[in-house]
């Protein structure tokens, strides 16, 4: 057990793998090479079609102890991971690791297979029940939570060798060319799946919409696909796009959004070439709404919008406020539809989006990102993984990636949530290091990281309620009282891996 | 020296590298992995712009004995390879190998640098003077001629590790995102450059058209590009697109085209889903013209057109005769312009086009390809590399790749060229093995490979002049006489590498 640079105690080894403690966001240089991948040969006339998922798993050579991957563009509507795990069980395979891009509440269906020893590790973050059970010590399944960029890095670098990748392909031909734009399970971007297709030892395309050769446009090409399987349905299309995509109407949220917009305006970044990312939450969209109006008023011609893309950003693209969109994942059907017809709405891989170990990811070019938090601490460290009960309930997503990349990473959050203060002495779990977080915006005031003294001055000049983060914390504590610390066992149930592969924190089993 | 399966004497070693003799087109399975490539890291705020080509070469770490690559989309208008070689010389570097996708007559400018020892090997095919001088024994520069697919394979497999790739980028942003669609040097597809960008140790984008970030659409992404350099001009735009793109008006050519069309019609391949490739020569286009009319008349809805793409194929796409085009290289400005606006006109890498060692190249899906020849022999082996004087004057291109992939590979050629017969006992150089060549069409008759007995019968039934290839040869010899064999020294000046990396033939120094 050693302490990393943020004071978190990190074990030397987890699930058999030696760990490197986090030090800082930018200095770790990659050693070594892109992971080797076997060369293949498919001759003319050879078919890639197999009649069932089971046949494909058999053909893939999946064996006990190996690693599989799926991707989460179908989100809480995804049926594929569950189907794959059931087939793996039916084939009698055991000790399989899952290295999917994310696991959602719908994937609670894999819990019995974890209990049965079919699945014995999650090389990916989790949303919902699996993490909760792990936090309670009720699942023997070590979890490694990664950022979107960190996951791409882990696969590309060979840290997590994926043996078999299953790609849910909403529009696919019999030779494996695919896109996510068309079909009953259309999800738009296939951003997370690109890395899997490029690096897994065996790649299986699974589709409910087989189209005549060639699928067009092609997001992931035939050269990477070993087998093609058709099934009835990739998932429940109503749940594929499940995020809130409306501007908040809550007065607290609206005030936070107004302050965040003032920070952007004061930063000087809102000029021609402006680039911007927000999530899909109501406050984020309210900030986007302010930004949109400011861009119109100030006649700013932006460069790109990025991220999980909503219809809101599609509107801004079509209005000419952005030149392009970079889309690793569509958050709504308007975004899906836009990708299918607008070439400036560009699909990007998770590697291109956020991998720290390539020749420069898109996050490096972000001016401003709006991010959420379950907690922040007085050093600007942010937690998005664990909730106030200490349960691991959320995946990291692009949080740490965009914070590291953007010139101005703004956390927006209500000062009090469920009677608990948002600003604490220490967050339960550090997801994103404070040195990459620039501003924390609450309805009670704004805290600016001390490295931005000019911005702080400008905000004060503009009479925006800037406060020292400790002062902000005290004001909140006056309402909420000092929160009682959570109590944990020593047992580590999950790693929080920083994007460069070092360990920024761990999640421990909660005390009964 | 051993004989390969076609009876050609292959040395054990060439330029220090052990050789594997050709055996057959399909059975060699790849061993090993995709070549390793160093991981990189580019942090936010780091610039990739360098002020000159020389500075970029210095930054790349290019040293004596290393290998560089450029691509030939700018064809005989390319200025970049010459510029790069001059800068390399100015920096005092020696013993550099060139692994470009092709070398054109314009690149005669590198000859003095070969003579000076700056360039000491060509890991690529050549068109024009360099090959001629090598054939005469006047250049000490071993040449390895590869197919387009074989070149991709050689780089991806690590057989030819490229240290520094220079990519001529007609539309490029400061972070290296690029396409070939727009700008004064627009060339359309950047198909050959993809492999270089993905596998070279260091990748330098060179542009005469720097656009605001991000370039859109993106053909080659920022994640692969180390440096960006602007220069005045990538080449002479008038020569960038230099191929004949008109249907022949020569009666012999028109008769050949008519026969070839009759073969396609008789083959039964002209049905919905038909896929087709031709080159850009006048006879090829005349065949395309017949095919177009037959598709219209028979209401055939084709799948894809492929290859180097001409405006002729663009018309067929727009007419709805093809669903898509796969474009590794644009042959004219109409094709360039089409790529910039039509998403069904898809750019493909040379890997996707023709590499035999991936999960299935586009050539595998070809129904019919129309190919040229300088000679064929009575075993249907084809020569496109050497001319009747024995000089190495032509690169292989996609010839052997498409012949291997297509269900029906048709060679079109006049029976006599420059008073010499097209069909010989033995071709001077075997480019493409006869077992992948299905039909030879001349104006004097058609020879069908014996594996296609049904097609032969159907052609006879249709009263198309089918002849045994030896009979065809004898008829031609009656006009031309038996050609005098060329005389060669033992010295090997070039290898003709088959697409799988085995050696199908060699080019020897011509006797004075």
């Amino acid at each position: 057990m050693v302490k990393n640079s943020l004071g978190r105690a990190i074990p030397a080894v987890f699930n058999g793998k030696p760990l490197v403690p986090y030090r800082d966001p930018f200095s770790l240089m990659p050693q070594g090479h892109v992971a080797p991948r076997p060369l293949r040969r498919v001759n003319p006339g050879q078919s890639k079609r197999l009649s069932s998922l089971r046949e494909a798993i058999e053909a893939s050579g999946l064996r006990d102890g190996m690693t599989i991957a799926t991707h989460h563009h179908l989100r809480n509507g995804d049926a594929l991971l569950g189907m794959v795990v059931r087939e793996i069980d039916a084939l009698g395979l055991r000790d399989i690791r899952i290295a999917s891009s994310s696991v959602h509440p719908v994937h609670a269906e894999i819990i019995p297979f974890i209990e049965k020893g079919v699945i014995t590790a999650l090389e990916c973050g989790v949303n919902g029940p699996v993490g909760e059970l792990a936090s309670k010590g009720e699942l023997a399944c070590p979890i490694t939570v990664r950022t979107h960029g960190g996951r791409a890095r882990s696969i590309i670098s060979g840290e997590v060798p994926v043996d078999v990748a299953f790609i849910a392909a909403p529009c696919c031909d019999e030779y494996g060319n695919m896109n996510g734009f068309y079909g009953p399970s259309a999800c738009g971007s296939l951003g997370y799946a690109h890395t899997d297709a490029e690096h897994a030892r065996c790649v299986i395309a699974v589709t409910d919409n087989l189209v005549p050769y060639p699928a067009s446009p092609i997001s992931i090409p035939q050269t990477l696909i070993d087998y093609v399987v058709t099934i009835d349905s990739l998932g429940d299309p109503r749940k594929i796009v499940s995020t809130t995509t409306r501007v908040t109407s809550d007065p607290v949220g609206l005030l936070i959004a107004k302050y965040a917009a003032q920070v952007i305006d004061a930063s000087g970044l809102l000029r021609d070439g402006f680039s911007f990312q927000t999530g899909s939450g109501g406050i984020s969209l309210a900030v986007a709404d302010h930004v949109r109006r400011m861009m119109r008023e100030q006649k700013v011609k932006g460069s790109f919008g990025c991220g999980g893309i909503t219809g809101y950003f599609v509107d801004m693209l079509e209005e000419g406020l952005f030149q392009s969109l970079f889309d690793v994942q569509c958050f709504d059907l308007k975004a899906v539809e836009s990708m299918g017809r607008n070439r400036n709405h560009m699909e990007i891989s998770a590697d291109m989006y956020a991998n720290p170990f390539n020749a420069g990811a898109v996050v490096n070019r972000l001016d401003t990102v709006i991010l959420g938090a379950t907690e922040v601490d007085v050093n600007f460290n942010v937690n998005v993984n664990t909730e106030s009960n200490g349960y691991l309930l959320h995946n990291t997503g692009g949080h740490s990636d965009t914070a590291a990349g953007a010139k101005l990473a703004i956390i927006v959050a209500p000062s009090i949530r469920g009677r608990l203060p948002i600003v604490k002495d220490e967050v339960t779990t550090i997801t994103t290091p404070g040195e990459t977080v620039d501003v924390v915006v609450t309805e009670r005031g704004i805290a600016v990281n001390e490295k931005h003294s000019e911005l702080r001055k400008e905000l004060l000049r503009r009479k925006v309620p800037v406060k020292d983060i400790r002062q902000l914390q005290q004001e909140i504590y006056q309402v909420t009282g000092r929160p009682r610390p959570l109590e944990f066992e020593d047992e580590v149930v999950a790693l929080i891996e920083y994007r460069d592969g070092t360990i920024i924190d761990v999640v421990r089993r909660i005390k009964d």
Side-chain angles (χ1 to χ4, degrees), chain A:
Chain A
M1 200 74 75
V2 291
K3 288 205 168 178
N4 69 18
S5 69
L6 302 176
R8 300 293 161 132
I10 309 296
V13 172
F14 182 73
N15 198 24
K17 205 185 299 195
L19 304 182
V20 179
Y22 169 83
R23 194 174 57 187
D24 67 74
F26 297 116
S27 72
L28 185 75
M29 292 306 288
Q31 304 297 320
H33 293 78
V34 171
R37 187 188 196 201
L39 295 166
R40 311 162 192 208
R41 174 163 208 168
V42 172
N43 277 325
Q46 263 179 261
S47 167
K48 299 186 184 183
R49 297 261 329 254
L50 293 176
S51 64
S52 69
L53 208 45
R54 187 171 306 185
E55 203 185 334
I57 294 169
E58 290 176 317
S60 75
L62 188 71
R63 292 193 312 273
D64 292 358
M66 286 187 171
T67 301
I68 63 164
T70 62
H71 58 105
H72 73 284
H73 294 96
L74 306 180
R75 301 172 65 82
N76 212 36
D78 172 60
L80 186 57
L81 178 57
M83 273 188 269
V84 167
V85 170
R86 284 193 296 276
E87 293 295 343
I88 286 173
D89 177 45
L91 287 164
L93 295 168
R94 295 294 180 269
D95 190 20
I96 299 296
R97 290 163 185 246
I98 293 178
S100 296
S101 56
S102 198
V103 163
H104 282 255
V106 65
H107 300 122
E109 60 186 332
I110 71 171
I111 291 171
F113 300 96
I114 297 175
E115 289 165 343
K116 199 173 170 181
V118 179
I119 304 301
T120 51
L122 291 173
E123 291 281 350
C124 60
V126 290
N127 294 292
V130 175
E132 179 173 339
L133 287 179
S135 290
K136 289 176 178 169
E138 292 174 13
L139 271 190
C141 185
I143 296 169
T144 302
V145 179
R146 293 189 168 86
T147 70
H148 286 328
R151 176 180 185 267
R153 179 200 49 71
S154 75
I155 292 174
I156 294 169
S157 69
E159 180 186 317
V160 178
V162 174
D163 293 292
V164 186
F166 298 86
I167 304 189
C171 174
C172 187
D173 66 42
E174 62 174 14
Y175 222 47
N177 295 299
M178 69 174 79
N179 67 58
F181 308 156
Y182 315 118
S185 305
C187 61
S189 177
L190 294 174
Y192 304 117
H194 286 255
T195 311
D196 308 27
E198 282 165 18
H199 295 278
R201 187 182 48 74
C202 179
V203 183
I204 299 168
V206 185
T207 189
D208 55 7
N209 179 33
L210 196 75
V211 299
Y213 183 93
S216 168
I218 294 171
S219 293
I220 296 179
Q222 61 186 49
T223 50
L224 303 171
I225 306 299
D226 295 291
Y227 302 111
V228 176
V229 174
T230 53
I231 60 175
D232 287 342
S233 170
L234 292 172
D236 180 348
R238 291 165 303 173
K239 293 179 189 158
I240 283 170
V241 175
S242 49
T243 319
T244 308
T245 55
R246 286 180 180 270
V247 172
T248 187
S249 58
D250 167 50
V252 168
L254 288 172
L255 186 58
I256 294 169
K258 186 183 131 194
Y259 288 158
Q262 288 177 317
V263 172
I264 296 171
D265 197 30
S267 73
L269 293 168
L270 200 67
R271 50 175 173 22
D272 283 351
F274 179 65
S275 57
F276 188 44
Q277 175 167 343
T278 68
S280 60
I283 300 179
S284 290
L285 289 179
V287 181
D289 198 52
H290 279 286
V291 167
R292 184 181 189 172
R293 275 183 277 135
M294 290 191 294
M295 289 177 82
R296 276 186 201 142
E297 281 160 20
Q298 300 174 30
K299 300 202 192 320
V300 169
K301 166 92 181 152
S303 168
F304 67 92
C306 178
I309 292 292
T310 59
Y312 211 88
F313 270 51
V314 171
D315 289 339
M316 291 176 77
L317 174 70
E318 292 179 357
E319 199 182 325
L321 296 174
F322 292 123
Q323 184 182 317
S324 308
L325 299 180
F326 282 128
D327 193 335
V328 72
Q329 173 182 19
C330 290
F331 276 147
D332 60 28
L333 291 174
K334 189 166 181 177
V336 173
E337 187 268 333
S338 163
M339 290 204 85
R341 63 174 162 72
N342 188 342
R343 248 178 156 176
N344 292 323
H345 183 163
M346 293 186 277
E347 179 166 336
I348 54 172
S349 67
D351 172 42
M352 179 152 167
Y353 173 47
N355 177 8
F357 288 0
N358 61 29
V362 166
V363 295
N364 289 0
R365 304 287 306 196
L366 270 175
D367 284 328
T368 296
V369 63
I370 305 295
L371 294 167
T374 56
E375 304 168 324
V376 300
D377 71 20
V378 293
N379 296 310
F380 290 83
N381 296 311
V382 178
N383 174 18
V384 299
N385 298 122
T386 52
E387 282 283 356
S388 53
N389 49 20
Y391 294 162
L392 175 63
L393 288 178
H394 304 287
N395 202 351
T396 301
H399 200 283
S400 327
D401 297 314
T402 52
K407 293 193 183 71
L408 184 67
I410 301 174
I411 305 295
V412 292
S415 64
I416 299 170
R417 199 188 265 135
R419 299 189 201 163
L420 292 169
I422 200 83
V423 185
K424 297 171 70 182
D425 290 332
E426 284 206 329
V427 288
T428 307
T429 308
I430 301 180
T431 307
T432 294
E435 51 206 306
T436 64
V437 172
D438 302 295
V439 182
V440 173
V441 177
T442 73
E443 81 286 3
R444 271 173 215 273
I446 291 171
V448 180
N449 192 316
E450 60 187 14
K451 67 182 172 180
H452 293 295
S453 56
E454 288 303 314
L455 174 60
R456 190 169 188 280
K457 265 187 245 166
E458 179 61 24
L459 286 167
L460 287 169
R461 200 185 63 77
R462 293 178 180 215
K463 308 206 186 314
V464 182
V466 174
K467 294 172 183 171
D468 182 84
I469 195 158
R470 286 169 201 277
Q471 179 198 343
L472 182 60
Q473 180 197 23
Q474 290 313 317
E475 288 181 22
I476 302 170
Y477 275 18
Q478 278 165 21
V479 181
T480 62
R482 176 170 291 270
R484 209 164 45 124
L486 295 167
E487 287 186 78
F488 293 95
E489 308 283 357
D490 284 344
E491 185 191 342
V492 172
V493 298
L495 299 180
I496 308 298
E497 197 182 87
Y498 192 59
R499 58 200 300 256
D500 63 4
T502 61
I503 307 304
I504 194 161
D505 210 341
V506 298
V507 178
R508 294 175 198 277
R509 179 175 168 177
I510 198 95
K511 235 179 199 146
D512 293 332

